[in-house]
Amino acid sequence: KLTGKQTRAWLLNFSAKIQEKKQDLNDLDQAIGDGDHGSNMARGVHAVEEAIKNENHTPASEILKKAAMAMVSKVGGASGPLYGTAFLEMAKVIDTEELPTVLAAGLDGVKKRSKADADEKTMADMWAPVVKALQEKKLTKDVINESVEATKELKATKGRASYLNEGSIGHLDPGSVSSSYLFFALLEEVD
Ligand code: ADP
Ligand code: MG
Ligand code: MG
């Protein structure tokens, strides 16, 4: 199980990675969207940081709730409510359940909110294999990288990238790349 301290460190690590990759994420979104995914996420995680930085003795569930509110209220783009719902669904179980169950709840939240099926080139396509690997105790950096790479060949049928239709094929899904930083940060926290 993740403690409040670990959860806070996880999200602060995620925030640092997003801010470092802000331009890359904008560039990826420029190719198949409107070029703002890095800026959206950077604004969101900055608000997350502000909300949790002094929460040293707060339960994990409260940390995630604060993070969810920050993402929903500050991100603006489609990704805000998706991360917000993921964090909120994880908040409901993180104090009592083990990590794989927590991330599975997050994935359910993403799916519920996104209305996307598998292979629609959204965050859900990246989360699904990662959560499965976590459940099988096989989650590694390679699994995360492969899950992101696998979005490349998919044709977007949800979100802005779907306007490009076939043109979205051959490009990474920006939201899946930002999600990979959430999982890299998690691996660093639990290793
Ligand atoms: P916007 O598209 O509003 O500019 P962002 O650029 O911040 O928002 O986020 C784009 C990312 O959001 C996409 O790369 C994709 O991963 C994710 N996304 C968009 N729509 C959906 C959806 N319906 N379901 C799941 N993920 C989605
Ligand atoms: Mg965008
Ligand atoms: Mg936008």
Side-chain angles (χ1 to χ4, degrees):
K1 278 207 281 272
L2 276 195
T3 63
K5 234 181 212 14
Q6 285 174 310
T7 304
R8 175 174 166 277
W10 169 28
L11 294 179
L12 292 177
N13 187 352
F14 173 52
S15 173
K17 290 185 195 309
I18 290 288
Q19 295 185 53
E20 190 190 317
K21 302 290 187 179
K22 173 179 163 179
Q23 191 57 50
D24 291 352
L25 292 170
N26 278 341
D27 292 345
L28 289 169
D29 195 34
Q30 194 62 55
I32 55 170
D34 57 356
D36 62 358
H37 186 59
S39 301
N40 286 343
M41 290 299 295
R43 203 179 321 112
V45 296
H46 178 73
V48 169
E49 239 181 273
E50 288 298 310
I52 67 173
K53 66 179 179 195
N54 296 323
E55 305 287 332
N56 291 308
H57 306 284
T58 310
S61 55
E62 288 302 315
I63 297 279
L64 277 169
K65 270 186 218 163
K66 285 176 191 291
M69 280 179 9
M71 293 304 282
V72 170
S73 61
K74 289 292 189 300
V75 169
S79 52
L82 291 164
Y83 277 99
T85 307
F87 289 168
L88 210 54
E89 291 302 315
M90 292 195 280
K92 291 180 187 167
V93 290
I94 195 166
D95 291 339
T96 52
E97 302 292 338
E98 299 295 331
L99 207 46
T101 307
V102 174
L103 272 299
L107 170 60
D108 283 345
V110 171
K111 283 191 192 158
K112 200 166 57 180
R113 166 62 67 159
S114 75
K115 311 255 192 304
D117 289 322
D119 299 337
E120 296 208 76
K121 202 182 185 90
T122 72
M123 272 165 58
D125 291 312
M126 188 273 166
W127 278 62
V130 166
V131 169
K132 183 162 179 283
L134 191 62
Q135 285 168 331
E136 294 167 352
K137 300 193 194 304
K138 288 187 209 154
L139 184 61
T140 60
K141 282 189 172 183
D142 283 346
V143 169
I144 296 171
N145 283 321
E146 284 157 17
S147 304
V148 174
E149 282 302 316
T151 67
K152 209 174 216 177
E153 65 181 32
L154 299 174
K155 182 176 81 175
T157 44
K158 283 279 188 311
R160 251 171 225 288
S162 67
Y163 306 157
L164 286 184
N165 223 305
E166 311 283 334
S168 64
I169 297 172
H171 299 277
L172 293 172
D173 170 55
S176 296
V177 177
S178 65
S179 294
S180 74
Y181 303 134
L182 185 67
F183 294 108
F184 285 132
L186 181 64
L187 276 187
E188 288 172 11
E189 236 31 77
V190 295
D191 264 2

